[in-house]
Amino acid sequence: MTFDQVIWTDKMRAVFSDDAPVIHLVGSMGTSKTLVGGLTFFDRIMNAPANVNQFAIIGVSSVLVKRNFVDKADSLYNIHKGLCTEYSDGNKDAAGSHFCIKTKTGKKIVYIAGADNKTSYTNILSLDLGGILLDELSALHPDVIREAYGRVQRLAYPGWLITTTNGGNPAQEFYAELVNRATVQFRDTVPKIELDEMIEDRPDEHYYHFNLIDDCPHKTKEQTERLINSYPVGSFYHFSKILGCRGYSEGAMYALLLNDVETVSFGDLNLRAFEEVVATVDVGASVNGDDDSKSHTIVHIGGYTRNYHRVVPIASKKINSIEHRDIIEEAENWLYTYWLKFYGKFKAILIDKADYKLVSTWQNHSRWRGTVSVIGCVKTHKTLCPDLVARAGVKCQLMMKSKQYPASRIVWCDEDMLKAHRQILKDKDGSELDQSDVWQDYADCFSYLILWRIARILADENDRVSNKIKFY
């Protein structure tokens, strides 16, 4: 392929002319992400100053990087072959796998490495690189991504980073640490599931989403339809490869049930409609508040509307303290606002019974001694609900029962809690698979909330008093 044979869309042109230091190209397979990413990478190298002459492409493996960016007919190497030196394999040259690009300011070296070879990518990322292209973020180790991003931030010359990826698991670190922070471009072509997670607090970093409908001018209608039908709807690969957005792991327990659910803001809740409000606490061992792959101490505030008709997860906080007295102080300082707003309805603090020392310490040092009960809470309740021993069974039945009502029995006000339940996987026995990460800690807090009043929540509708008060 030659440069003049590339079929350009408005989105591709926007990427090619974008001078943002960080650009993320996310989306469906076969939508020219690699092509436009490679061409943009090449163009930036051609315009780099004379004293900046080292660049890198890093992917899952050096074999795949070579295949995508050197061997393919539409690779940056073949499209500009007249300006590139012969590719050199790392086994033949002490410099490692690389090729050079001849520019008006001299030769520029493009190193190639795979994330499967730590020595190789570590050596390359230790260089003063003018720019880096990371291929397939969702398949790379988080440390590779962090090091690459940090490297381009530290350079005296304004370094840059271009990334490509299909959709990944929503819990993967690269979303929260990198992609979600970028500012969305071409917003009207981005799936809702992506937009809902975007923070967009880095205006100079840009996010582009590519889909099979708008971004495949080089494919026939039949080819596109064949791609769309290549994976079962609802599967992880359908989300990742076809929709090109963050998907759900195979075996996700609640994700599809919660696919179209939106949160209700706290300001829209009718606080007078609440029957009771409680705080729940799950204790984790992590001392790194930024590592979502490890368990954390989570405090959650939730409530029940009149006659326990609906359960409302209101808000959660990740606790940074480790010592029991510090945990109590930090949690109660945060809960104080809700204690005031729900004065007289805030009845209890329910704590994972496994940490009995925290329970007893909290009982002795609570600022609300005598007015708010501090109780050790279990995750299952055979006495109240013998047919729903597994906590997952409780929540799943509750969600299923929502089909009997015009609105869900669960009103999601807490965005973190909703996100956590989209990550939970099913274990072999049908219960929640405890992955010992922060999302499970959120889920456990919600389990305590439901199990505390499970008998009233699941009472037959005929036993309820008619409730005509709006909850929001």
Side-chain angles (χ1 to χ4, degrees), residues 74-158:
D74 62 351
S75 68
L76 68 91
Y77 182 88
N78 277 318
I79 289 177
H80 301 96
K81 199 163 187 177
L83 295 172
C84 298
T85 64
E86 184 179 354
Y87 174 80
S88 175
D89 192 292
N91 296 326
K92 303 174 184 177
D93 195 309
S97 300
H98 74 282
F99 62 90
C100 295
I101 298 174
K102 292 172 279 188
T103 77
K104 59 187 177 183
T105 59
K107 284 187 178 180
K108 312 295 187 183
I109 306 172
V110 178
Y111 294 101
I112 283 179
D116 59 342
N117 188 330
K118 187 173 183 178
T119 300
S120 175
Y121 78 72
T122 301
N123 288 340
I124 289 175
L125 289 176
S126 67
L127 302 173
D128 288 332
L129 299 170
I132 302 172
L133 196 160
L134 292 182
D135 190 39
E136 293 297 345
L137 281 187
S138 64
L140 300 183
H141 191 282
D143 288 346
V144 179
I145 300 170
R146 291 173 185 135
E147 179 60 29
Y149 181 76
R151 173 60 51 182
V152 299
Q153 302 298 319
R154 294 194 293 269
L155 295 173
Y157 163 73

Coordinates of all heavy atoms in Angstrom, one line a residue, residues 74-158:
D74 N 0.0 -2.6 4.9 CA -0.4 -1.2 5.2 C 0.3 -0.7 6.5 O -0.2 0.1 7.2 CB -1.9 -1.1 5.4 CG -2.5 -2.0 6.5 OD1 -1.7 -2.8 7.0 OD2 -3.7 -1.9 6.8
S75 N 1.5 -1.3 6.8 CA 2.2 -0.9 7.9 C 2.9 0.5 7.7 O 3.2 0.8 6.5 CB 3.3 -1.9 8.3 OG 4.3 -2.0 7.3
L76 N 3.3 1.2 8.7 CA 4.0 2.4 8.6 C 5.3 2.2 7.8 O 5.8 3.1 7.1 CB 4.2 3.1 9.9 CG 5.2 2.5 10.9 CD1 6.6 3.0 10.7 CD2 4.7 2.7 12.3
Y77 N 5.9 1.0 8.0 CA 7.2 0.7 7.4 C 7.1 0.5 5.9 O 7.8 1.1 5.1 CB 7.8 -0.6 8.1 CG 9.1 -1.0 7.5 CD1 10.3 -0.5 8.1 CD2 9.2 -1.9 6.5 CE1 11.5 -1.0 7.6 CE2 10.4 -2.3 6.0 CZ 11.6 -1.9 6.6 OH 12.8 -2.3 6.1
N78 N 6.1 -0.2 5.5 CA 5.9 -0.5 4.0 C 5.4 0.7 3.3 O 5.7 0.9 2.1 CB 5.0 -1.7 3.8 CG 5.8 -3.0 4.0 OD1 6.9 -3.1 3.5 ND2 5.2 -4.0 4.7
I79 N 4.5 1.5 3.9 CA 3.9 2.7 3.2 C 5.0 3.7 3.0 O 5.0 4.4 2.0 CB 2.8 3.3 4.1 CG1 1.6 2.4 4.0 CG2 2.4 4.7 3.6 CD1 0.4 2.8 4.9
H80 N 6.0 3.7 3.9 CA 7.1 4.7 3.7 C 8.5 4.0 3.5 O 9.5 4.4 4.0 CB 7.2 5.6 5.0 CG 6.0 6.4 5.2 ND1 5.0 6.0 6.1 CD2 5.5 7.6 4.7 CE1 4.0 6.9 6.2 NE2 4.3 7.8 5.3
K81 N 8.4 2.8 2.8 CA 9.6 2.0 2.7 C 10.8 2.7 2.2 O 12.0 2.5 2.5 CB 9.3 0.8 1.9 CG 10.3 -0.4 2.1 CD 9.8 -1.7 1.6 CE 10.7 -2.8 2.0 NZ 10.1 -4.2 1.5
G82 N 10.6 3.7 1.3 CA 11.7 4.4 0.7 C 12.5 5.3 1.7 O 13.6 5.7 1.4
L83 N 11.8 5.6 2.8 CA 12.5 6.4 3.8 C 13.0 5.6 5.0 O 13.5 6.1 6.0 CB 11.5 7.4 4.4 CG 11.0 8.5 3.4 CD1 9.9 9.3 3.9 CD2 12.2 9.4 2.9
C84 N 12.8 4.2 4.9 CA 13.2 3.4 6.1 C 14.4 2.5 5.7 O 14.5 2.0 4.6 CB 12.0 2.5 6.5 SG 10.6 3.4 7.1
T85 N 15.3 2.3 6.6 CA 16.4 1.3 6.4 C 15.9 -0.1 6.6 O 14.7 -0.3 7.1 CB 17.5 1.6 7.4 OG1 17.0 1.4 8.8 CG2 18.0 3.0 7.3
E86 N 16.7 -1.1 6.3 CA 16.3 -2.4 6.5 C 16.1 -2.8 7.9 O 16.8 -2.3 8.8 CB 17.3 -3.4 5.9 CG 17.0 -4.8 5.9 CD 18.0 -5.7 5.3 OE1 19.0 -5.2 4.8 OE2 17.9 -7.0 5.4
Y87 N 15.0 -3.5 8.2 CA 14.7 -3.9 9.6 C 15.8 -4.8 10.1 O 16.3 -5.7 9.4 CB 13.4 -4.6 9.7 CG 13.0 -5.2 11.0 CD1 12.5 -4.4 12.0 CD2 13.3 -6.6 11.3 CE1 12.2 -4.9 13.3 CE2 13.0 -7.1 12.5 CZ 12.5 -6.3 13.5 OH 12.2 -6.8 14.8
S88 N 16.3 -4.6 11.3 CA 17.3 -5.4 11.9 C 16.8 -6.1 13.1 O 16.2 -5.5 14.1 CB 18.5 -4.5 12.4 OG 19.5 -5.2 13.1
D89 N 16.9 -7.4 13.1 CA 16.5 -8.3 14.2 C 17.5 -8.1 15.4 O 18.7 -8.0 15.2 CB 16.5 -9.8 13.7 CG 15.7 -10.6 14.7 OD1 16.2 -10.8 15.9 OD2 14.6 -11.1 14.4
G90 N 17.0 -8.2 16.5 CA 17.8 -8.1 17.7 C 18.9 -9.1 17.9 O 19.9 -8.8 18.5
N91 N 18.7 -10.3 17.3 CA 19.7 -11.3 17.4 C 21.0 -11.0 16.6 O 22.0 -11.5 16.8 CB 19.2 -12.6 16.9 CG 18.0 -13.1 17.8 OD1 18.1 -12.9 19.0 ND2 17.1 -13.8 17.2
K92 N 20.8 -10.1 15.6 CA 22.0 -9.7 14.7 C 22.6 -8.4 15.1 O 23.7 -8.1 14.5 CB 21.4 -9.7 13.3 CG 20.8 -10.9 12.8 CD 20.1 -10.7 11.4 CE 19.4 -12.0 11.0 NZ 18.7 -11.7 9.7
D93 N 22.0 -7.7 16.0 CA 22.5 -6.3 16.2 C 22.5 -6.0 17.7 O 21.4 -6.2 18.3 CB 21.7 -5.3 15.4 CG 22.4 -3.9 15.3 OD1 22.8 -3.4 16.4 OD2 22.5 -3.4 14.2
A94 N 23.5 -5.5 18.3 CA 23.6 -5.2 19.7 C 22.5 -4.2 20.1 O 22.1 -4.1 21.2 CB 25.0 -4.7 20.1
A95 N 22.1 -3.4 19.1 CA 21.1 -2.3 19.4 C 19.7 -2.9 19.6 O 18.8 -2.2 20.1 CB 21.1 -1.3 18.3
G96 N 19.5 -4.2 19.4 CA 18.2 -4.7 19.5 C 17.4 -4.6 18.2 O 17.8 -4.0 17.3
S97 N 16.2 -5.1 18.2 CA 15.3 -5.0 17.0 C 15.0 -3.6 16.7 O 14.5 -2.9 17.6 CB 14.0 -5.8 17.3 OG 14.3 -7.2 17.5
H98 N 15.2 -3.1 15.5 CA 15.0 -1.7 15.2 C 15.0 -1.5 13.7 O 15.4 -2.4 12.9 CB 16.0 -0.8 15.9 CG 17.3 -0.9 15.2 ND1 18.2 -2.0 15.4 CD2 18.0 -0.1 14.4 CE1 19.3 -1.8 14.8 NE2 19.2 -0.6 14.1
F99 N 14.6 -0.4 13.2 CA 14.8 0.1 11.9 C 15.0 1.6 12.0 O 14.7 2.2 13.1 CB 13.7 -0.2 10.9 CG 12.4 0.3 11.2 CD1 12.0 1.6 10.7 CD2 11.5 -0.4 12.0 CE1 10.7 2.1 11.0 CE2 10.2 0.1 12.3 CZ 9.8 1.4 11.8
C100 N 15.5 2.3 11.0 CA 15.7 3.7 11.0 C 14.9 4.4 10.0 O 14.5 3.8 9.0 CB 17.2 4.0 10.8 SG 18.3 3.5 12.1
I101 N 14.5 5.6 10.3 CA 13.8 6.5 9.3 C 14.6 7.7 9.0 O 15.2 8.3 9.8 CB 12.4 7.0 10.0 CG1 11.5 5.8 10.4 CG2 11.7 7.9 9.0 CD1 10.3 6.2 11.1
K102 N 14.8 7.9 7.7 CA 15.6 9.0 7.2 C 14.7 10.3 7.1 O 13.8 10.3 6.4 CB 16.2 8.6 5.8 CG 17.2 7.5 5.8 CD 17.6 7.1 4.4 CE 16.5 6.1 3.9 NZ 17.0 5.5 2.6
T103 N 15.1 11.3 7.9 CA 14.4 12.5 8.0 C 15.3 13.7 7.6 O 16.5 13.5 7.4 CB 13.8 12.8 9.4 OG1 14.9 13.2 10.2 CG2 13.2 11.5 10.0
K104 N 14.7 14.9 7.4 CA 15.5 16.0 7.1 C 16.5 16.5 8.2 O 17.4 17.2 7.9 CB 14.6 17.2 6.8 CG 13.7 17.6 7.9 CD 12.6 18.6 7.5 CE 11.7 19.0 8.6 NZ 10.6 19.9 8.2
T105 N 16.3 16.0 9.4 CA 17.2 16.3 10.5 C 18.1 15.1 10.9 O 18.7 15.1 11.9 CB 16.5 16.8 11.7 OG1 15.5 15.8 12.1 CG2 15.7 18.1 11.4
G106 N 18.1 14.1 10.0 CA 19.0 12.9 10.3 C 18.2 11.6 10.5 O 16.9 11.6 10.5
K107 N 18.9 10.5 10.7 CA 18.2 9.3 11.0 C 17.6 9.2 12.4 O 18.2 9.6 13.3 CB 19.2 8.1 10.8 CG 19.6 7.8 9.3 CD 20.4 6.5 9.2 CE 20.7 6.2 7.8 NZ 21.5 5.0 7.6
K108 N 16.4 8.6 12.4 CA 15.7 8.4 13.7 C 15.6 6.9 13.9 O 15.2 6.1 13.0 CB 14.3 9.0 13.7 CG 14.3 10.4 13.2 CD 15.0 11.4 14.1 CE 14.8 12.9 13.6 NZ 15.6 13.8 14.4
I109 N 16.0 6.4 15.1 CA 15.9 5.0 15.4 C 14.6 4.6 16.0 O 14.1 5.3 16.9 CB 17.0 4.6 16.3 CG1 18.4 5.0 15.8 CG2 17.0 3.0 16.6 CD1 19.5 4.8 16.8
V110 N 13.9 3.6 15.4 CA 12.7 3.1 16.0 C 12.9 1.7 16.6 O 13.2 0.7 15.8 CB 11.6 3.0 14.9 CG1 10.3 2.4 15.6 CG2 11.3 4.4 14.3
Y111 N 12.9 1.6 17.9 CA 13.2 0.3 18.6 C 11.8 -0.4 18.7 O 10.8 0.2 18.8 CB 13.7 0.5 20.0 CG 15.1 1.1 19.9 CD1 15.3 2.5 20.2 CD2 16.2 0.4 19.7 CE1 16.6 3.1 20.2 CE2 17.5 0.9 19.7 CZ 17.7 2.3 19.9 OH 18.9 2.8 19.9
I112 N 11.9 -1.7 18.6 CA 10.8 -2.6 18.8 C 11.0 -3.6 19.9 O 12.0 -4.2 20.0 CB 10.5 -3.4 17.4 CG1 9.9 -2.4 16.4 CG2 9.7 -4.6 17.6 CD1 9.6 -3.1 15.1
A113 N 9.9 -3.7 20.8 CA 10.0 -4.6 21.9 C 8.7 -5.2 22.2 O 7.6 -4.6 21.9 CB 10.6 -3.9 23.1
G114 N 8.7 -6.3 22.9 CA 7.5 -7.0 23.3 C 7.4 -6.9 24.8 O 8.4 -7.0 25.6
A115 N 6.2 -6.8 25.4 CA 6.0 -6.7 26.8 C 6.3 -8.1 27.4 O 6.3 -8.2 28.7 CB 4.6 -6.3 27.1
D116 N 6.4 -9.1 26.6 CA 6.7 -10.5 27.1 C 8.2 -10.6 27.4 O 8.7 -11.6 28.0 CB 6.3 -11.5 26.2 CG 7.0 -11.4 24.8 OD1 7.5 -10.3 24.5 OD2 6.9 -12.4 24.0
N117 N 9.0 -9.6 27.1 CA 10.5 -9.6 27.3 C 10.8 -8.4 28.2 O 11.1 -7.3 27.7 CB 11.2 -9.6 26.0 CG 12.7 -9.8 26.2 OD1 13.3 -9.5 27.2 ND2 13.3 -10.4 25.2
K118 N 10.9 -8.6 29.5 CA 11.1 -7.5 30.4 C 12.4 -6.8 30.2 O 12.5 -5.6 30.3 CB 10.9 -8.0 31.9 CG 11.0 -6.8 32.9 CD 10.7 -7.3 34.3 CE 10.6 -6.1 35.2 NZ 10.3 -6.6 36.6
T119 N 13.5 -7.6 29.9 CA 14.8 -7.1 29.7 C 14.8 -6.1 28.5 O 15.3 -5.0 28.6 CB 15.8 -8.2 29.5 OG1 15.8 -9.0 30.7 CG2 17.2 -7.6 29.3
S120 N 14.1 -6.6 27.5 CA 14.1 -5.8 26.2 C 13.4 -4.5 26.4 O 13.9 -3.4 26.1 CB 13.5 -6.6 25.1 OG 13.3 -5.8 23.9
Y121 N 12.1 -4.5 26.9 CA 11.3 -3.3 27.0 C 11.9 -2.4 28.1 O 11.8 -1.2 28.0 CB 9.8 -3.6 27.2 CG 9.3 -4.0 28.6 CD1 9.3 -3.1 29.6 CD2 8.9 -5.2 28.8 CE1 8.8 -3.4 30.9 CE2 8.4 -5.6 30.0 CZ 8.3 -4.7 31.1 OH 7.8 -5.1 32.3
T122 N 12.5 -3.0 29.2 CA 13.1 -2.1 30.2 C 14.3 -1.4 29.7 O 14.4 -0.2 30.0 CB 13.5 -3.0 31.4 OG1 12.4 -3.7 31.9 CG2 14.1 -2.1 32.5
N123 N 15.1 -2.0 28.9 CA 16.3 -1.3 28.3 C 15.8 -0.2 27.4 O 16.4 0.9 27.4 CB 17.1 -2.3 27.5 CG 17.9 -3.3 28.4 OD1 18.1 -3.0 29.6 ND2 18.3 -4.4 27.9
I124 N 14.8 -0.5 26.6 CA 14.3 0.6 25.7 C 13.7 1.7 26.4 O 13.9 2.9 26.1 CB 13.4 -0.1 24.6 CG1 14.1 -1.0 23.7 CG2 12.6 1.0 23.9 CD1 13.2 -1.7 22.7
L125 N 12.9 1.4 27.4 CA 12.2 2.5 28.1 C 13.1 3.3 29.0 O 12.8 4.4 29.5 CB 11.1 1.9 29.0 CG 9.8 1.4 28.2 CD1 8.8 0.8 29.1 CD2 9.2 2.5 27.4
S126 N 14.4 2.8 29.2 CA 15.3 3.6 29.9 C 16.0 4.7 29.1 O 16.7 5.5 29.6 CB 16.4 2.7 30.5 OG 17.2 2.1 29.5
L127 N 15.8 4.6 27.8 CA 16.4 5.6 26.8 C 15.6 6.9 26.9 O 14.5 7.0 27.4 CB 16.3 5.0 25.4 CG 17.1 3.7 25.2 CD1 16.8 3.2 23.8 CD2 18.6 3.9 25.4
D128 N 16.2 8.0 26.3 CA 15.5 9.3 26.2 C 14.7 9.2 24.9 O 15.1 9.7 23.8 CB 16.5 10.4 26.1 CG 17.2 10.7 27.5 OD1 16.5 10.4 28.5 OD2 18.3 11.1 27.5
L129 N 13.5 8.6 25.0 CA 12.7 8.4 23.8 C 11.9 9.7 23.5 O 11.3 10.3 24.4 CB 11.7 7.2 24.1 CG 12.4 5.9 24.3 CD1 11.4 4.8 24.8 CD2 13.1 5.4 23.0
G130 N 11.8 10.1 22.3 CA 11.0 11.2 21.9 C 9.6 10.9 21.8 O 8.7 11.7 22.0
G131 N 9.2 9.6 21.5 CA 7.9 9.2 21.4 C 7.7 7.7 21.5 O 8.7 7.0 21.2
I132 N 6.6 7.3 21.9 CA 6.3 5.8 22.1 C 5.0 5.5 21.6 O 4.0 6.2 21.7 CB 6.4 5.4 23.6 CG1 7.7 5.8 24.2 CG2 6.1 3.9 23.8 CD1 7.8 5.6 25.7
L133 N 4.9 4.3 20.9 CA 3.6 3.8 20.4 C 3.4 2.5 21.2 O 4.2 1.6 21.1 CB 3.6 3.6 18.9 CG 2.2 3.3 18.3 CD1 2.3 3.6 16.8 CD2 1.7 2.0 18.5
L134 N 2.3 2.4 22.0 CA 2.0 1.2 22.7 C 0.8 0.5 22.0 O -0.3 1.1 21.9 CB 1.5 1.5 24.2 CG 2.6 2.0 25.1 CD1 2.0 2.2 26.5 CD2 3.8 1.1 25.2
D135 N 1.0 -0.7 21.5 CA 0.0 -1.4 20.8 C -0.8 -2.4 21.7 O -0.1 -3.2 22.4 CB 0.6 -2.1 19.6 CG -0.4 -2.7 18.7 OD1 -1.4 -2.1 18.4 OD2 -0.2 -3.8 18.1
E136 N -2.1 -2.4 21.7 CA -2.9 -3.3 22.5 C -2.7 -3.1 24.0 O -2.2 -4.0 24.7 CB -2.7 -4.7 22.0 CG -3.2 -5.1 20.6 CD -4.7 -4.9 20.5 OE1 -5.4 -4.8 21.5 OE2 -5.1 -4.8 19.3
L137 N -3.1 -2.0 24.5 CA -3.0 -1.7 25.9 C -3.6 -2.8 26.8 O -3.0 -3.1 27.8 CB -3.7 -0.4 26.2 CG -3.1 1.0 25.9 CD1 -3.9 2.1 26.5 CD2 -1.7 1.0 26.5
S138 N -4.8 -3.3 26.4 CA -5.5 -4.3 27.3 C -4.7 -5.5 27.5 O -5.0 -6.3 28.4 CB -6.9 -4.6 26.7 OG -6.7 -5.2 25.4
A139 N -3.7 -5.8 26.6 CA -2.9 -7.0 26.7 C -1.5 -6.8 27.3 O -0.8 -7.7 27.5 CB -2.8 -7.7 25.3
L140 N -1.2 -5.6 27.7 CA 0.1 -5.2 28.2 C 0.1 -5.2 29.8 O -0.9 -4.9 30.4 CB 0.5 -3.9 27.7 CG 0.7 -3.7 26.2 CD1 1.2 -2.3 25.9 CD2 1.6 -4.7 25.6
H141 N 1.2 -5.5 30.3 CA 1.3 -5.5 31.8 C 1.2 -4.0 32.2 O 1.8 -3.1 31.6 CB 2.7 -6.1 32.2 CG 2.8 -6.3 33.7 ND1 3.0 -5.3 34.6 CD2 2.6 -7.4 34.5 CE1 3.0 -5.7 35.9 NE2 2.8 -7.1 35.8
P142 N 0.5 -3.7 33.3 CA 0.4 -2.3 33.8 C 1.7 -1.6 34.0 O 1.8 -0.4 33.8 CB -0.4 -2.5 35.1 CG -1.1 -3.8 35.0 CD -0.2 -4.7 34.2
D143 N 2.7 -2.3 34.4 CA 4.0 -1.6 34.6 C 4.6 -1.1 33.3 O 5.3 -0.1 33.4 CB 5.0 -2.6 35.3 CG 4.6 -2.9 36.8 OD1 3.8 -2.2 37.3 OD2 5.2 -3.9 37.3
V144 N 4.4 -1.8 32.2 CA 4.9 -1.3 30.9 C 4.2 0.0 30.6 O 4.8 1.0 30.2 CB 4.6 -2.3 29.8 CG1 5.1 -1.8 28.5 CG2 5.3 -3.7 30.1
I145 N 2.9 0.0 30.8 CA 2.1 1.2 30.5 C 2.5 2.4 31.4 O 2.7 3.5 30.9 CB 0.6 0.9 30.6 CG1 0.2 -0.2 29.7 CG2 -0.2 2.2 30.4 CD1 -1.2 -0.7 29.9
R146 N 2.7 2.1 32.7 CA 3.1 3.2 33.6 C 4.4 3.8 33.3 O 4.6 5.0 33.3 CB 3.0 2.6 35.0 CG 1.7 2.3 35.6 CD 1.7 1.6 36.9 NE 0.4 1.2 37.4 CZ 0.2 0.0 37.9 NH1 1.1 -0.9 38.0 NH2 -1.1 -0.3 38.3
E147 N 5.4 2.9 33.0 CA 6.7 3.3 32.7 C 6.8 4.1 31.4 O 7.4 5.2 31.3 CB 7.7 2.1 32.6 CG 9.1 2.5 32.2 CD 9.8 3.4 33.3 OE1 9.4 3.3 34.5 OE2 10.6 4.2 32.9
A148 N 6.0 3.7 30.4 CA 6.0 4.4 29.1 C 5.4 5.8 29.3 O 5.9 6.8 28.8 CB 5.2 3.6 28.1
Y149 N 4.3 5.9 30.0 CA 3.6 7.2 30.2 C 4.6 8.1 31.0 O 4.7 9.3 30.7 CB 2.3 7.0 31.0 CG 1.6 8.3 31.2 CD1 0.9 8.9 30.2 CD2 1.6 8.9 32.5 CE1 0.2 10.1 30.4 CE2 0.9 10.1 32.7 CZ 0.2 10.7 31.7 OH -0.5 11.8 31.9
G150 N 5.2 7.6 32.1 CA 6.1 8.4 32.9 C 7.3 8.8 32.1 O 7.8 9.9 32.3
R151 N 7.8 8.0 31.2 CA 9.0 8.3 30.5 C 8.7 9.6 29.6 O 9.6 10.5 29.6 CB 9.4 7.1 29.6 CG 10.5 7.3 28.6 CD 11.8 7.8 29.2 NE 12.2 6.9 30.3 CZ 13.3 7.1 31.1 NH1 14.1 8.1 30.8 NH2 13.6 6.3 32.0
V152 N 7.6 9.6 28.9 CA 7.4 10.8 28.0 C 7.1 12.0 28.8 O 7.2 13.1 28.3 CB 6.3 10.5 27.0 CG1 6.6 9.3 26.1 CG2 4.9 10.2 27.7
Q153 N 6.7 11.9 30.1 CA 6.4 13.1 30.9 C 7.7 13.7 31.4 O 7.7 14.9 31.7 CB 5.5 12.7 32.1 CG 4.2 12.1 31.7 CD 3.3 13.0 31.0 OE1 3.2 14.2 31.2 NE2 2.6 12.4 30.0
R154 N 8.8 12.9 31.5 CA 10.0 13.4 32.1 C 11.0 14.0 31.2 O 12.0 14.6 31.6 CB 10.7 12.2 32.8 CG 9.9 11.6 34.0 CD 10.8 10.7 34.8 NE 11.2 9.5 34.1 CZ 10.6 8.4 34.2 NH1 9.4 8.3 34.9 NH2 11.0 7.3 33.5
L155 N 10.7 13.9 29.9 CA 11.7 14.4 28.9 C 11.7 16.0 28.8 O 10.6 16.6 29.0 CB 11.3 13.9 27.5 CG 11.5 12.4 27.4 CD1 11.0 11.9 26.0 CD2 13.0 11.9 27.5
A156 N 12.9 16.5 28.6 CA 12.9 18.0 28.4 C 12.2 18.4 27.1 O 11.5 19.3 27.0 CB 14.4 18.4 28.3
Y157 N 12.4 17.5 26.0 CA 11.7 17.7 24.8 C 10.3 17.2 25.0 O 10.1 16.1 25.7 CB 12.4 16.9 23.7 CG 11.5 16.7 22.5 CD1 11.2 17.7 21.6 CD2 11.0 15.4 22.2 CE1 10.5 17.5 20.5 CE2 10.2 15.2 21.1 CZ 9.9 16.2 20.2 OH 9.2 16.0 19.1
P158 N 9.3 17.9 24.5 CA 7.9 17.4 24.7 C 7.7 16.0 24.1 O 7.4 15.9 22.9 CB 7.0 18.5 24.1 CG 7.9 19.7 24.0 CD 9.3 19.2 23.8

